Amino acid sequence: MSTDLLQRGKQIKLAVFDVDGVLTDGRLYFLEDGSEFKTFNTLDGQGIKMLMAAGVQTAIISGRKTPVVERRARNLGIPHLYQGREDKLVVLDELLAQLNLNYEQVAYLGDDLPDLPVIRRVGLGMAVANAASFVREHAHGITQARGGEGAAREFCELILRAQGRLDAANAAYL
C-alpha cells in the first residue's frame, strides 16, 4: 500500500460507494416479472460497519434506483442513500454542505465513467480492480479485489489503517 494512499486516507470523514460494479459484481439480474435482484458481499458489508463504528460517515450514490439497494443500505445502517442520480458530483456537493465537510475529507470508490468526476475531485478517489480502464488511470488507487468481491472491504480497511484504527476495529471482535 502506497504512502500516498495512506496519507490521503488519514483525513477521511466520509466514505462514499457506488453500487453496480462496486458493492455488486456489476451484473443486472431481472426476473420474468420485471423485478431485479443483486448480490452483495458480506465482507464488504462488515467493512462498512467497521468504518461507521470508527466514526467515518458513509453514503451510497447510485445512478440506478432499486428497492434492493435501499434494503441493503438500511440493513447496514448507511444513513445517506442517493439513488437515481446521474450527476454524482452534484449529489456529493449537496451532501458535503449538509455535513459541513470538504472534498479532501471524502473517499470514493467507483468503477465507471459516471464515477470519474467524483474520483478526480475527492481526497481519496479509488477504483475497483475491474473498473473501466480510463477510470483506473485517473484514480488515486486501485483495489486488488474486483467489485462485489471484497473491493469495498479493502477500501474500508485502507481508510482504517491510514487512521490507525484497523487493529482496534479488528480487536473489537476478539
Side-chain angles (χ1 to χ4, degrees), residues 92-107:
L92 182 60
D93 286 340
E94 294 169 10
L95 183 56
L96 292 179
Q98 177 185 335
L99 299 175
N100 197 28
L101 296 173
N102 62 53
Y103 287 116
E104 290 75 30
Q105 296 172 302
V106 178

Side-chain angles (χ1 to χ4, degrees), residues 64-81:
R64 300 187 73 246
K65 183 172 181 157
T66 64
V68 160
V69 173
E70 185 176 337
R71 186 175 316 128
R72 182 64 171 156
R74 188 174 48 249
N75 288 346
L76 292 175
I78 296 173
H80 307 286
L81 173 62

